[in-house]
Amino acid sequence: MEDIFEVYGERLSSRLLVGTAGYPSPVVLADAIDASGAGVVTVGLRRTLASGGDNGFLAGLVGRLTARGVRLLPNTAGCRTAVEAVSLARMARELYGTHWIKLEVTGDEYTLQPDPWQLLAAAETLVAEGFAVFPYATDDLVLCQRLFDAGCQVLMPWGAPIGSGQGLLNPWALRTLRERLPQAVLVVDAGLGSPVHAAQAMELGFDAVLLNSAIAHAGDPVGMARAFGQVVAGARAGYRAGVMAPQAMAVASTPVFGQPMLEG
C-alpha cells in the first residue's frame, strides 16, 4: 500500500522536517535542504523580524522552497507566554501567508523545556483562530492528550533537550505516546544528534522527525542532511515491513533438528 504522509489535509513529500538556524553560510543551508529532501522547513520568526523582515537569505530561500513544493513552517521560538506566542503567530501568518505555525513557549531557561500551561493556552487560542498548530512539547502523556483534544492534529514531543544531540532519552514515554494517541501525527522534535536517533524514532512508529542542529553543526552539513533523509525513509519502510520480534535465545536460521547428518 502507498505510504501517504498527510498533515492537516496536505500531503508531504518527506517525513523529515528541518530547521534553518546555525548553518555556516546561506549556500550551505540551501544545499543541505536540497540534499535532505525535506518536505517542511521551519524558520524562526523572531530572527526574521530582528533583521527587518529578511535575515540575509530567507527571501530567496522561501521562493526556492515554494517552487519545490516544500512547506514553510514559521515558529514562535523565544516566546515565554501564551500571549506573546499568539501575537507572534498572528504576525507569521501575515508575513508568510500561511496558517501553519510551530508553537513554542519556553518555561525553563536551562533546559529550554516547554511551559505546559502556557503552551496549552496558546494552542487553544490559535486553533480557535484557524491555525494549524504544531506544538513543541515534552513527552508528557497528559499534556499531549490535552493538546490533541484542543485540536492539535500534530504533536511534537522532544527526544531530549533542544540542541543537545542526546537522542531519545525516554523511549518508553515516546512508545506510550504512540500507543495511546494512534490518531495523532507524532513528530520527534529536538535532541536528535545522529541518523541513528532518527531511525530509532521511526522504528517506534513516529510519523516524522524534525531536527536542525544535527545537520547545521555537522562537519559536512550537506552530507549529513542527505544521510538523515535516506535513514528516515529507510527506517519508515522497515517499520511498515514489520520488524522481527526479539528472541531471548539464539534461533538457528537453518534448522538442524530432524535433518540427516553426515558423520566422518
Side-chain angles (χ1 to χ4, degrees), residues 73-79 81-89 100-106 114-115 118-127 131-137 147 152 156 189:
L73 181 62
N75 69 50
T76 63
C79 290
T81 67
V83 171
E84 188 179 10
V86 168
S87 176
L88 202 61
W100 282 23
I101 191 73
K102 180 186 175 187
L103 181 60
E104 299 184 39
V105 187
T106 302
D115 183 317
Q118 296 295 314
L119 181 67
L120 180 58
E124 291 173 337
T125 298
L126 292 173
V127 168
F131 281 88
V133 181
F134 295 66
Y136 167 54
L147 289 166
C152 299
M156 306 178 73
D189 177 13

Side-chain angles (χ1 to χ4, degrees), residues 1-4 15 236-237 240-241:
M1 295 179 61
E2 185 180 2
D3 186 23
I4 298 173
R15 294 174 181 273
R236 173 66 181 182
R240 296 187 73 233

Side-chain angles (χ1 to χ4, degrees), residues 17-224:
L17 294 73
V18 299
T20 56
Y23 283 82
S25 75
V27 172
V28 172
L29 167 60
D31 289 347
I33 291 176
D34 286 342
S36 73
V40 175
V41 172
T42 69
V43 59
L45 185 59
R46 281 184 174 275
R47 184 156 45 97
T48 303
L49 295 175
S51 58
D54 179 6
N55 61 9
F57 60 86
L58 279 180
L61 182 63
V62 169
R64 179 174 175 175
L65 296 177
T66 302
R68 287 181 45 229
V70 178
R71 284 300 305 255
L72 192 68
L73 181 62
N75 69 50
T76 63
C79 290
R80 299 292 186 271
T81 67
V83 171
E84 188 179 10
V86 168
S87 176
L88 202 61
R90 291 168 178 161
M91 295 175 66
R93 181 167 56 184
E94 296 301 317
L95 183 61
Y96 293 114
T98 178
H99 65 294
W100 282 23
I101 191 73
K102 180 186 175 187
L103 181 60
E104 299 184 39
V105 187
T106 302
D108 180 72
E109 295 296 332
Y110 180 70
T111 62
L112 299 181
Q113 179 172 329
D115 183 317
W117 294 275
Q118 296 295 314
L119 181 67
L120 180 58
E124 291 173 337
T125 298
L126 292 173
V127 168
E129 294 185 8
F131 281 88
V133 181
F134 295 66
Y136 167 54
T138 62
D139 53 21
D140 182 86
L141 174 62
V142 176
L143 171 60
C144 288
Q145 287 176 322
R146 297 291 184 270
L147 289 166
F148 185 69
D149 292 342
C152 299
Q153 298 177 24
V154 180
L155 303 173
M156 306 178 73
W158 68 358
I162 190 168
S164 68
Q166 298 182 70
L168 308 184
L169 294 183
N170 195 343
W172 177 87
L174 295 174
R175 185 179 296 110
T176 300
L177 287 178
R178 181 70 287 171
E179 293 172 353
R180 297 291 300 278
L181 293 165
Q183 301 304 316
V185 174
L186 296 182
V187 182
V188 169
D189 177 13
L192 304 185
S194 80
V196 171
H197 300 153
Q200 291 169 341
M202 301 305 292
E203 288 175 356
L204 288 175
F206 273 66
D207 297 285
V209 297
L210 191 158
L211 50 96
N212 181 85
S213 299
I215 295 177
H217 298 166
D220 175 7
V222 176
M224 186 62 76

